[in-house]
Amino acid sequence: FKIRKECSKQELLRILSSASENQLFDIIISGGGMVGTAMACSLGLDPNLAGKKILLLEAGHKKEMDGVPETYSTRVSSISPGSATLLSLGAWDHIANMRCKPYNKMQVWDACSDALITFDKDNLQDEMAYIVENDVIVAALTKQLQTLSDHVKVQYRTKVVKYTWPRPYHVSESIPWVQVTLANGKTLQTKLLIGADGPNSMVRREAGIPTVKWNYDQSAVVAVLHLSEPTVNNVAWQRFLQTGPIAMLPLSDTESSLVWSTSHQHAEELLQLNEESFVDAINSAFWSNENHSEMVETAGSLFRTTLSVLMPDSGSARQLPPSVAGIGPKSRVMFPLGMGHATEYIRHRVAIIGDAAHRVHPLAGQGANLGFGDVAYLTKVLSQAAFNGKDLGKSMQHLLEFETERQRHNLPMMAAIDLMKRLYSTNAAPMVLLRTFGLQATNALPPLKEQIMAYASK
Amino acid sequence: MYSKKLARLAFGLLAESTFKCPLTRSVSSVRTLCSWTVCLHHRQKNPLSEGFSRRLTRLNVRTVSQTTLDPAEVRKFQAMASKWWDLQGEFAALHSMNDLRVPFIRDNLLNVHGILQLGKPLAGLRILDVGCGGGVLSEPLGRLGADVRGIDPVEDSVRTAELHSSYDPDLWERVRYQACTLEELAEEELEGFHAVVASEVVEHLADLDAFASCCQQVLKPGGSLFITTINKTNLSYVFGIVAAEQLLRIVPSGTHDWEKFISPEDLERLLESFGFYVEAIRGMMYNPLTGAWSWQQSTAINYALHAIKRKEEPQPGQVWAESENLDEPGRATNYS
């Protein structure tokens, strides 16, 4: 009995010294993209987490922007009002000072028929959402982080090579924290690891979280478009072509961003085209009606007439997007598209957020917003846990609350996006008729549209 | 000396039995034996007069404490001591009770002292956790910034608590454990603490008067006393003794002695006689299906109590001795 007491004292000393050598953090966030940096900001600004040691690890270099560059960057995101509220804790001011484009209306229509749906707030004065370049978001968040540098630390150009997971139960002579081994050989310890490292998340892989995923046979081509003439550019356009949706998102009165999801082969062809042919392809994709079949058009117009009799106020006139004259100097880029969902967002002392937890098709512009929603809720849950004196990584009750709530929100959204993608990928007449009627019916029901907009704005 | 042994035995009961809710999970047979033996002795106390019963229990204490200090039993306690931190184990309900007791303690202390530091709401406060066991309640209070001293007469529980808190340098600085009794501590730490927490302890004490007196000694004037315990009602008999022990056999027979439960009114009267005034009493309920506790209106089974030690009025010619942060505007400072 006495020997055991002495052993435990030595054990205590050893553990204590190891905790001080390898720094022990309260939270380590792995991945400094939009969502990871937003998580670090959000945790740093929370009053109940004041005094906790937080670290953000990013493999790339620090993204700073003293002033916005002249040219727009190709990767943009649509930021919903809910995400803007999260970012409004400081970072939104920086974004507003740099640049962002609010838009008031969205028109979505089919290439195979005349069906269309428009989303807008009641009076067109209100902003629906904002188009912001990804680089601007990260730079604004980085700037905000610098004001929190006393308890939120960031390490750039830091690559993680290994994660070591602790046992969920208390075992003597083992370290109960997550250990993060860096490429430079150092090992850090943390009570809670948050994985925000993108769709090919190492945290998720190493934690052994099963993921449901598949590749769409599509790639997205992104570019910056110069419009033919300046216009009040506050509408987002999306047309479902046979090969995939093409979207034009406003950046300024003279420029817009292109996101064209199409088959891999077609995407490569588009990249090879010279500038003029590419511009022609874009314009014809938005404007031409060659895919309309007579039957579908007749059926569609009949349905529309019926709806306009039943509900005279609904329905909208179809507008055409502005024509494109040229593209921005930065070259066009393409990247593959897929869907992914982690079956669990949490493990003992681990949580995953953003694209690491869920990856969606860009057709609904929701990828970044789902990630920001994760950030907001996880911060709320951790803040509550800290105010109750709990061990942040061990409090499964709170982590489970985060997982349940976010899965309940994310899964229906992801299912809807996937359904839309599949529905619009076919040219078969029955499906075309179905989606034509569906779209027109939805357009005729303002309450339903309001519900959809409210859900997407969270 | 005898009173110390009595108190040690009484506090030992805390470590031996699980949390004191009527619907506990299974308890090891060793614990059953010890607690049953002691309960038997305590039951015998009732029909006898005070002085005689005290001597009798003292004698019983000596025989039982010899049994308690049996090396074989101690080894078994060691095995049980490691179970404090198994969140799915026998002490699971005690861990989930933290969802009620930590906010209760925190909010009442914040009402009295105000928030001094963001992120560490209890910074600067010294708290004594009586019968801390494995440190289940001491650790969250330490994380909230308080300077916590946890005491428990069972050394193995204290070792378990120390080991568990040793991994975290923050906790190690703020939470300290000591294997001793409240009386031993009361001699060293007169008026040393801003708050005393005795959660699931008083229903296992033989001498509540001694307990109340010691609490009064170690608390600063205006300091807070937090108690959670079981009421003495028909309902607590039905749930705590009949249902839990005899019908469902969740708790072995004899773990709880219904005679030792105390109603909130009696506890309030006792504390008032020792210079406290009871500020809040709230009922608690355990749901065995969800494993969660909740507040409720009725104090019929479990309840939590917050009492404050009255401040003394200054005697003419004496220095007004009062520690900082204990201003209570609007409270009467009459000495009972």
Side-chain angles (χ1 to χ4, degrees), chain A residues 330-347:
Chain A
K330 286 208 183 109
S331 57
R332 313 152 228 176
V333 204
M334 79 181 239
F335 53 91
L337 300 178
M339 207 288 292
H341 189 248
T343 50
E344 298 163 35
Y345 290 0
I346 56 163
R347 280 285 164 92

Side-chain angles (χ1 to χ4, degrees), chain B residues 6-290:
Chain B
L6 184 67
R8 185 188 285 274
L9 177 69
F11 285 109
L13 275 177
L14 171 70
E16 287 158 16
S17 32
T18 58
F19 57 95
K20 311 311 167 272
C21 127
L23 300 167
T24 54
R25 310 243 174 102
S26 62
V27 174
S28 75
S29 56
V30 169
R31 240 178 298 153
T32 316
L33 179 66
C34 287
S35 48
W36 180 82
T37 329
V38 177
C39 273
L40 196 61
H41 291 296
H42 283 291
R43 278 216 187 98
Q44 288 170 357
K45 177 189 172 188
N46 284 333
L48 307 168
S49 70
E50 266 297 290
F52 183 56
S53 67
R54 209 163 262 178
R55 258 178 284 139
L56 182 64
T57 46
R58 248 181 262 144
L59 286 173
N60 293 338
V61 160
R62 243 188 295 165
T63 30
V64 174
S65 60
Q66 277 166 13
T67 320
T68 316
L69 289 176
D70 179 9
E73 311 284 32
V74 169
R75 255 181 273 126
K76 286 173 193 168
F77 287 155
Q78 255 175 271
M80 182 255 299
S82 65
K83 293 199 182 134
W84 278 105
W85 287 99
D86 180 5
L87 290 179
Q88 266 79 50
E90 292 148 1
F91 294 113
L94 205 58
H95 284 272
S96 68
M97 205 201 276
N98 277 347
D99 293 338
L100 290 191
R101 10 179 221 185
V102 173
F104 183 67
I105 296 170
R106 173 198 75 207
D107 293 339
N108 280 305
L109 285 177
L110 286 181
N111 278 340
V112 171
H113 300 278
I115 193 162
L116 297 169
Q117 198 181 339
L118 279 180
K120 304 238 183 298
L122 300 181
L125 299 179
R126 292 195 75 213
I127 302 184
L128 174 67
D129 186 3
V130 179
C132 63
V136 173
L137 183 53
S138 310
E139 286 201 4
L141 294 175
R143 275 194 210 101
L144 289 176
D147 184 4
V148 182
R149 180 86 67 86
I151 62 168
D152 198 285
V154 177
E155 254 196 71
D156 282 303
S157 301
V158 171
R159 290 281 157 266
T160 308
E162 278 176 341
L163 183 62
H164 193 265
S165 68
S166 66
Y167 295 103
D168 189 348
D170 288 333
L171 279 182
W172 190 240
E173 284 164 25
R174 278 201 292 275
V175 184
R176 274 183 303 142
Y177 296 100
Q178 208 172 327
C180 68
T181 64
L182 182 57
E183 268 113 345
E184 286 166 9
L185 194 76
E187 289 158 20
E188 303 163 7
E189 297 270 1
L190 274 181
E191 300 206 346
F193 292 99
H194 293 98
V196 169
V197 177
S199 181
E200 309 303 305
V201 168
V202 298
E203 67 266 24
H204 293 269
L205 300 180
D207 191 353
L208 276 181
D209 289 352
F211 167 76
S213 160
C214 290
C215 286
Q216 205 265 357
Q217 285 168 38
V218 300
L219 268 179
K220 295 186 198 265
S224 294
L225 172 63
F226 296 97
I227 294 177
T228 74
T229 185
I230 311 178
N231 199 347
K232 189 175 180 180
T233 59
N234 292 329
L235 209 58
S236 73
Y237 184 75
V238 166
F239 281 107
I241 311 291
V242 176
E245 291 184 16
Q246 288 158 18
L247 286 180
L248 300 173
R249 298 201 186 275
I250 299 171
V251 174
S253 266
T255 303
H256 284 125
D257 179 3
W258 187 78
E259 295 297 330
K260 302 183 93 242
F261 293 168
I262 182 168
S263 72
E265 295 80 25
D266 289 339
L267 185 57
E268 179 168 1
R269 209 175 304 130
L270 171 74
L271 290 175
E272 298 258 335
S273 70
F274 276 94
F276 290 93
Y277 70 94
V278 174
E279 209 247 343
I281 302 181
R282 294 181 76 176
M284 296 162 36
M285 188 180 68
Y286 179 68
N287 182 343
L289 297 172
T290 60

